[in-house]
Structures are given as structure tokens and as C-alpha cells.
Amino acid sequence: HLELTEFGRPFIAPPGVPEDRLEVLRTAFENVANNPDLLEEADRLGLPIEFMSGEEVHTLVEGLSDAPEEFMAIVREQ
């Protein structure tokens, strides 16, 4: 079962983006999420940063096809 909180605030690309471009985007997001200055500032502000790789987000999004309708209704409201 998927939990809405598993998604956080993901960035997703449209279908058909070439794999090499996806890799560049995924690497850039990972580099930002692991930036010491960002992490220090987020900690100072009490904002948790929990990075999820592009592959992990992809797996979660693929799982939506099996999600119950009540979950999808919540997602649509967001």
C-alpha cells in the first residue's frame, strides 16, 4: 500500500525524455539534495530534507496503477 507521505514533493519528467537527460536531471537533484550548505540551512530552519532517488520516485509512480481509488482521490485534491 502506498502512503501519500511517501511522495513528498517529487519532480517528475514527462514520458519520452531521453535516458541521458533523465540521468543529468537525477544527478543534479541528488547533488543539490546533498549540498552541505543547503542541508545546514534546512537544519537551521527545521526543514527536513529526505532525498529520494529518481529510480525510487519512478518505482513509486509506477505503483500508482495499483493504488486504491480512495488514495487517488486524495492525490487529485492536492
Side-chain angles (χ1 to χ4, degrees):
H1 251 323
L2 292 172
E3 295 290 329
L4 188 57
T5 57
E6 287 183 68
F7 283 96
R9 292 194 168 106
F11 286 84
I12 55 176
V17 174
E19 193 62 38
D20 62 330
R21 291 185 188 149
L22 283 178
E23 189 57 37
V24 168
L25 290 169
R26 288 174 174 172
T27 299
F29 273 99
E30 184 171 359
N31 289 341
V32 169
N34 291 309
N35 179 290
D37 293 333
L38 173 73
L39 294 172
E40 182 181 322
E41 183 70 5
D43 186 55
R44 185 181 72 73
L45 296 171
L47 301 171
I49 293 183
E50 297 177 26
F51 177 73
M52 183 179 284
S53 73
E55 291 81 10
E56 292 170 307
V57 172
H58 181 83
T59 299
L60 283 175
V61 170
E62 281 186 329
L64 285 175
S65 63
D66 298 327
E69 181 52 41
E70 56 271 12
F71 176 82
M72 294 307 298
I74 293 169
V75 171
R76 284 185 202 103
E77 291 175 13
Q78 301 300 317

